[in-house]
Every structure is written in C-alpha cells, then in structure tokens.
C-alpha cells in the first residue's frame, strides 16, 4: 500500500501519529522500509534466527479495523515454497510461513512472533478457503531482514533475474 507513496502516516502503539518517509519498496517481497519522523520511545523487537518448528506456538500482532493493538495465537503449520509443486505452485511468489493465528484487515505488516517474543515473520495476508478459518501467511524473518538490508544499502533488492 505504500509502494507509490513518498510519505505515509504511521500510528504508534501509544496512539501518537507520525509521518514516515518511504526509504524503499520491494514489489516481489511486498516489503517496504520506512523512516519515521518521530520514533521516540519505540523499542526494536528481537529477530528470530530460525523459523519456529511445525506445531510451535506463534502470535500475530496487528490493529484490526483501527480498534487498537490486538494479539492472536495459533501455531506454525508449515512453509510454502515457490515452485514446490502442486496445483498452486505458480501463485506462490516467495517463501511464506503458514500459521493458523487468526488475523483480519489491519494485521498485514505486523509481526508474527515466536514463543520467545522474537519476530519470526512479517504478516502478509489471510487466505480464505471453504472453512471458517483461513490460513495466515507471513514472510520469514530472514527474508525480511535481507530485503530491508539491501534496500538500506543499495536502494533496491539485487536479484539474479
């Protein structure tokens, strides 16, 4: 949603709003790097070095429908890998973590945390199927970190293609 924006307004957990400049955006990963005008009082979360194991608890943090911060709990159910086969192999644009932590509009871009409170991934979207619950998808933390690093160092992500 910030791909073509030069600046955005960010609502912080304490209710303050601050402007942010879009440092860079990577379309294939859906990741943007923002520079906040006012980051006073914000603490960085620790990154998980490895994805949680299958069945491990995970927590999704977001601001659904503008109601304020909400946390939901689920478990890591798997990983989707591009080109791994199956009928939907061509619609998986990048590696994604799959969890059943319920999310709604307003969670995308928030963290998916492991049981130790470390960022395991960046929430991407919810796939709704024929059941009442959907699948929550998140970009794995190592991918997010690498994309952000490349945007900060080179202004873009360098790929072989």
């Amino acid at each position: 949603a910030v791909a073509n924006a030069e600046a955005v307004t960010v609502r912080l957990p304490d209710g303050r709003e601050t402007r942010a400049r879009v440092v860079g955006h990577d379309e294939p990963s859906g990741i943007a790097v923002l520079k906040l005008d006012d980051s006073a009082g914000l603490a960085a979360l620790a990154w998980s070095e490895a994805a949680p194991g299958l069945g491990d608890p995970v927590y999704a943090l977001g601001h659904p429908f503008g109601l304020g911060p909400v946390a939901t709990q689920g478990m890591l159910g798997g990983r989707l890998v591009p080109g791994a086969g199956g009928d939907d192999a061509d619609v998986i644009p990048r590696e994604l973590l799959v969890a059943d932590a319920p999310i709604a509009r307003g969670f995308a871009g928030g963290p998916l945390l492991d049981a130790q409170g470390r960022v395991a991934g960046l929430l991407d979207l919810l796939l709704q199927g024929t059941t009442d619950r959907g699948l929550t998808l998140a970009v794995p933390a190592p991918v997010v970190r690498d994309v952000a690093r490349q945007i900060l160092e080179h202004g873009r992500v360098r790929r072989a293609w």
Side-chain angles (χ1 to χ4, degrees):
V2 300
N4 297 318
E6 291 181 18
V8 296
T9 300
V10 177
R11 182 175 299 136
L12 303 175
D14 64 6
R16 289 180 296 146
E17 289 188 353
T18 185
R19 302 264 304 154
R21 180 176 59 86
V22 178
V23 175
H25 175 261
D26 178 57
E27 186 67 34
S29 68
I31 295 170
V33 175
L34 305 177
K35 171 70 174 155
L36 302 180
D37 288 349
D38 178 11
S39 60
L42 295 179
L45 295 173
W47 291 93
S48 177
E49 293 301 320
L54 297 181
D56 283 353
V58 291
Y59 306 89
L61 301 182
H63 286 260
F65 312 110
L67 298 175
V70 172
T72 63
Q73 178 184 5
M75 69 176 193
L76 188 71
R79 288 186 185 84
L80 299 177
V81 180
D87 295 337
D88 297 323
D90 58 336
V91 297
I92 302 170
R94 58 194 174 278
E95 180 183 356
L96 295 167
L97 300 176
V98 180
D100 68 349
I103 64 171
R105 179 182 303 261
F107 275 82
L112 181 71
L113 304 177
D114 64 16
Q116 289 74 39
R118 298 175 302 210
V119 178
L122 193 65
L123 295 167
D124 192 357
L125 57 95
L126 174 68
L127 288 181
Q128 284 293 130
T130 58
T131 63
D132 290 337
R133 287 183 77 177
L135 294 176
T136 297
L137 303 180
V139 180
V143 174
V144 176
R145 287 177 24 182
D146 183 56
V147 167
R149 179 189 58 76
Q150 289 193 54
I151 289 172
L152 291 170
E153 288 179 4
H154 309 292
R156 65 182 181 86
V157 177
R158 296 179 174 180
R159 292 190 171 81
W161 69 88

